[in-house]
Amino acid sequence: MFYREAGDFKTSYTDDSQTFPIRFDRYRYYAVLVAAFAVVPVVIDDYWVNAVFLPFLIYAIAAIGLNILVGYCGQVSLGTGGFMAVGAYAVYKLMTAFPEVSIFFHVILAGGITAAVCVLFGLPSLRIKGFYLAVATLAAQFFLVWLFNRVPWFYNYSASGQISAPERTIAGVPVTGAETAPWAAYLFCLVFVTASALIARNLTRGMAGRKWMAIRDMDIAAEIIGVNPLKAKLSAFAVSGFFVGISGALFFAVYLGAVEVGEAFGINKSFLVLFMVIIGGLGSIFGSFAGAAFLVLLPVLLKNVLVGTLGWPTDLAAHLELIIVGSLIIVFLVAEPHGLAQLWRVAKEKLRLWPFPY
Amino acid sequence: MPEQLIWGMEVFLNGLMSGVLYALVALGFVLIFKASGIFNFAQGVLALFAAMTLVGIMDGQVPFSNLINAVFGTEIYSFGWHVPALAAILLTMVVMVALAWAVNYFIFRHLVGQEPIILFMATIGLAYFLEGFGDIMWGADIKNLDVGLPQGINATIDEVTYNIFGYGFFIDNLDLWATAVAALLVIALVIFAQYSKHGRAMRAVADDHQAALSVGVSLNFIWVMVWSLAGFVALVAGIMWGTKSGVQFSLSLIALKALPVLMLGGFTSIPGAIVGGLIIGVGEKLFEFSVGPMVGGATENWFAYVLALIFLVFRPQGLFGEKIIERV
């Protein structure tokens, strides 16, 4: 009944190659957009924004970025935390150096700077493959965090070694700093998420995405059929770095406000984003959202149930969370290696025939 | 002799010693990778878990006491007895074998034939699980581990070097012990792999598990055995590191340090793990000693990775790794 292509005739190439070719899918997408932009900002309060929506949106961008690298191009990276730190420090330096420029451009520029750093650390991927590359990206993680900790220029010689976001406004409404209204922070991030998802979706459908996937499936074979591995791999690193950098910038400027690099962008962050990508589904933009939502909501839910309802100590709940996340990853790998995105695909297929399955 | 050079020599020796400890962790990785192609990220957490279990058994802690207290509102923490070190080590080994069986039964049996990267992710999941599980089982506080290994400055070396250079080297007794144990362990493992029946079966499985299956090698048994061996190596590493710096979460981070060791040595080579460990240990200590003060210190956090990265660009399979041949 839903998601049916019957009766949905395409009369032009533009129609045929649109992002959501099925009509129901398209309407659903518009409905989600309207809800996200018009309904949610009106009804949310401070708790929901800070506990659920902001982390979800920001991690979704990071997960999209990492998914492009791992899911589409097959280059496993454990340096996401470090690259997010690059985005955060880039936006901090830009914000303090050019206060008159809009923060919007700062965030985008921070993404660009991260992309450049990411390409630099992606260079070894031309020689190193598989696990060796995964471990090599750890070099980026540890080196970058160390760098931001040790070189005072990056944190503007502040005494605490922390960076904290000054207040910046868009059209008179503060989006960073202590005075930010929940809805403003939410909308600011939402704009970036929507744009990232659109760009990523269309990149992965086009020539760039197909080259990445060819490299992922077998890089030597891809080279033989004319894919330039240098360009394909490095462009994947660049695009991935761009999104990860934006998410790092938003994570620092909008969500946390003040950041200590080792704490906020440690190796655990790299793993967290990687888990989002795996649980959500490798090679799927929707999966990035699903994975981010899942891993953001799970701790909130557990905390509310265990600490709030049952009255257990918080550290016990935190340990239990580790156990649950760990087991879930294993369960997903064993039962559904393609993640939540695959479940969604199966559900769509079922809905298409429902209620007459024959 | 100039002072700097003598200090450099001391740093070099200490680097060798810490390299041995890295190699101990790396050894566990190599064992599992060789026999099952699984890149076991959980090795560090395995060492942590082993050390925690050992301390818990020695002190007569009640497992899951925090959980039990939270659920039933009781106040139990300890059985009130102390188990001697040797018996506790044996008991811990039993736990590790049980864990090896569980890991194989619940996880990797279902993942046979999957891509290596999927297996790798599964071990990350396992690492998270074990971390939470260990904390719930034994509590997350920092524990002291003392199985009776000597600690502190080695007086003989101090005296001898003082007579030669006029400056006594500081070498920890514990590090010397660790070196001896590591050497023994490597020799034992090599003999086991080369000459024993199960060791040969293990190598056969590593070579081609389908062929091994067809000549009657039990895959399940070999995998449980390999994970138990890795658990044993983890226990040894856990004892050494735990005695040195207390049993705490940072213990599992040394596993991350073992990764560049592996890359340098090659994932499949036992001697490679040793040599790689020594190179990394010496390299990072010397770098911190010579360049560290100029750039603000704490270079040990990243030097090993960058060294391995640069090295790999020139030799992608590591020092002793098998040559990578790719075909379409």
Side-chain angles (χ1 to χ4, degrees):
Chain A
M1 181 157 170
F2 304 108
Y3 295 105
R4 270 197 320 190
E5 59 285 285
D8 193 358
F9 299 115
K10 308 283 190 298
T11 47
S12 67
Y13 282 118
T14 345
D15 276 356
D16 205 26
S17 60
Q18 53 195 334
T19 315
F20 293 100
I22 297 172
R23 194 188 291 139
F24 178 83
D25 220 5
R26 203 154 55 237
Y27 290 146
R28 180 190 53 85
Y29 167 69
Y30 291 139
V32 168
L33 274 190
V34 168
F37 273 98
V39 180
V40 176
V42 184
V43 294
I44 47 173
D45 57 12
D46 203 40
Y47 172 77
W48 275 90
V49 164
N50 281 320
V52 176
F53 279 104
L54 279 190
F56 161 62
L57 293 176
I58 292 168
Y59 281 127
I61 305 181
I64 289 173
L66 190 66
N67 215 336
I68 285 179
L69 194 58
V70 181
Y72 285 99
C73 197
Q75 313 292 310
V76 181
S77 161
L78 298 176
T80 320
F83 295 131
M84 279 174 83
V86 174
Y89 276 77
V91 85
Y92 174 68
K93 289 304 284 185
L94 288 168
M95 275 161 89
T96 46
F98 308 102
E100 64 282 358
V101 181
S102 164
I103 171 122
F104 187 76
F105 298 109
H106 287 156
V107 173
I108 291 179
L109 261 180
I113 291 170
T114 314
V117 175
C118 214
V119 167
L120 193 69
F121 279 99
L123 278 175
S125 73
L126 302 172
R127 288 274 294 172
I128 310 171
K129 282 165 194 167
F131 295 130
Y132 287 96
L133 179 68
V135 179
T137 52
L138 277 177
Q141 170 70 46
F142 288 103
F143 179 73
L144 289 170
V145 167
W146 174 85
L147 190 73
F148 294 133
N149 239 335
R150 295 286 155 175
V151 182
W153 181 78
F154 286 114
Y155 49 84
N156 281 358
Y157 305 95
S158 78
S160 60
Q162 284 195 340
I163 54 173
S164 51
E167 183 175 305
R168 291 288 178 269
T169 57
I170 287 184
V173 182
V175 290
T176 65
E179 300 295 308
T180 314
W183 63 268
Y186 167 80
L187 271 186
F188 187 59
C189 290
L190 186 64
V191 168
F192 280 104
V193 172
T194 315
S196 307
L198 262 183
I199 296 172
R201 168 87 189 186
N202 283 305
L203 271 179
T204 49
R205 292 191 320 148
M207 190 161 81
R210 284 168 193 217
K211 281 184 178 169
W212 293 336
M213 284 185 262
I215 291 282
R216 170 192 68 190
D217 292 342
M218 188 171 211
D219 53 355
I220 295 185
E223 202 175 339
I224 288 168
I225 60 167
V227 176
N228 183 342
L230 177 91
K231 278 188 195 159
K233 281 182 181 173
L234 290 189
S235 65
F237 269 98
V239 173
S240 160
F242 180 72
F243 290 138
V244 170
I246 285 183
S247 88
L250 293 175
F251 193 73
F252 151 69
V254 180
Y255 178 48
L256 288 181
V259 154
E260 205 279 314
V261 60
E263 226 169 79
F265 300 113
I267 177 84
N268 280 334
K269 195 109 308 170
S270 303
F271 284 129
L272 181 65
V273 180
L274 188 63
F275 287 159
M276 286 174 180
V277 172
I278 298 169
I279 290 189
L282 287 166
S284 156
I285 301 295
F286 170 79
S288 311
F289 281 99
F294 190 80
L295 282 186
V296 166
L297 283 176
L298 182 71
V300 176
L301 202 69
L302 276 181
K303 206 174 161 202
N304 278 339
V305 170
L306 292 182
V307 182
T309 317
L310 295 176
W312 289 12
T314 28
D315 62 325
L316 208 59
H319 299 155
L320 212 60
E321 186 198 322
L322 279 179
I323 292 192
I324 293 179
V325 170
S327 341
L328 271 177
I329 290 164
I330 294 170
V331 166
F332 263 102
L333 288 174
V334 171
E336 189 51 86
H338 298 101
L340 292 169
Q342 180 66 19
L343 293 180
W344 174 241
R345 262 174 236 135
V346 172
K348 276 209 281 198
E349 197 56 29
K350 289 254 160 64
L351 276 175
R352 185 170 157 256
L353 299 174
W354 183 86
F356 306 112
Y358 298 105
Chain B
M1 213 182 278
E3 267 183 350
Q4 283 289 330
L5 194 68
I6 296 179
W7 287 341
M9 277 171 66
E10 189 188 8
V11 169
F12 180 84
L13 281 176
N14 274 316
L16 275 185
M17 300 288 165
S18 65
V20 170
L21 287 175
Y22 292 146
L24 262 182
V25 183
L27 211 55
F29 278 97
V30 172
L31 274 176
I32 293 188
F33 191 81
K34 261 178 93 92
S36 55
I38 296 171
F39 184 75
N40 179 23
F41 186 80
Q43 188 66 28
V45 185
L46 219 54
L48 174 69
F49 184 76
M52 278 174 129
T53 310
L54 183 59
V55 176
I57 290 178
M58 279 175 74
D59 290 349
Q61 255 183 336
V62 179
F64 304 109
S65 58
N66 286 336
L67 189 67
I68 295 170
N69 292 346
V71 176
F72 300 109
T74 48
E75 286 288 329
I76 45 167
Y77 291 104
S78 169
F79 290 123
W81 64 58
H82 281 269
V83 180
L86 200 63
I89 289 177
L90 285 178
L91 277 175
T92 311
M93 209 40 235
V94 173
V95 174
M96 296 313 279
V97 172
L99 184 71
W101 176 83
V103 162
N104 193 47
Y105 187 83
F106 289 111
I107 308 176
F108 292 105
R109 214 171 46 123
H110 304 285
L111 291 174
V112 174
Q114 290 278 11
E115 281 176 52
I117 204 73
I118 300 284
L119 299 172
F120 172 60
M121 307 283 183
T123 64
I124 300 182
L126 177 66
Y128 266 62
F129 176 84
L130 266 186
E131 197 187 314
F133 190 69
D135 283 349
I136 283 198
M137 196 164 170
W138 303 112
D141 46 329
I142 299 174
K143 302 173 186 64
N144 279 322
L145 176 60
D146 185 11
V147 291
L149 289 171
Q151 282 191 71
I153 183 167
N154 186 305
T156 328
I157 291 182
D158 188 39
E159 206 180 294
V160 170
T161 48
Y162 188 80
N163 290 339
I164 301 175
F165 302 116
Y167 170 78
F169 284 10
F170 185 94
I171 305 286
D172 200 317
N173 264 325
L174 183 69
D175 287 340
L176 289 175
W177 269 88
T179 312
V181 170
L184 266 179
L185 202 61
V186 170
I187 293 170
L189 281 176
V190 168
I191 290 177
F192 174 77
Q194 296 294 331
Y195 299 109
S196 77
K197 179 181 152 198
H198 293 312
R200 284 181 178 161
M202 182 182 91
R203 285 191 298 144
V205 170
D207 205 38
D208 183 340
H209 65 259
Q210 274 179 336
L213 205 57
S214 70
V215 294
V217 176
S218 159
L219 276 189
N220 271 325
F221 174 76
I222 292 297
W223 279 340
V224 171
M225 188 188 75
V226 169
W227 275 86
S228 308
L229 271 181
F232 176 63
V233 176
L235 176 62
V236 174
I239 291 175
M240 294 304 168
W241 281 98
T243 315
K244 198 175 161 123
S245 49
V247 180
Q248 51 177 322
F249 174 68
S250 67
L251 198 64
S252 65
L253 295 180
I254 52 163
L256 291 174
K257 253 322 170 29
L259 296 180
V261 170
L262 284 174
M263 288 165 62
L264 265 181
F267 282 150
T268 49
S269 158
I270 290 180
I274 306 297
V275 176
L278 294 181
I279 293 178
I280 294 279
V282 170
E284 71 174 19
K285 285 278 183 324
L286 277 182
F287 188 78
E288 175 69 24
F289 173 71
S290 55
V291 186
M294 278 180 261
V295 291
T299 54
E300 282 165 341
N301 284 342
W302 55 267
F303 177 75
Y305 301 96
V306 175
L307 179 71
L309 181 64
I310 295 168
F311 182 83
L312 277 195
V313 170
F314 295 103
R315 206 179 148 78
Q317 72 273 31
L319 266 178
F320 298 95
E322 288 151 21
K323 187 150 180 54
I324 302 166
I325 301 166
E326 282 185 277
R327 293 189 184 87
V328 173

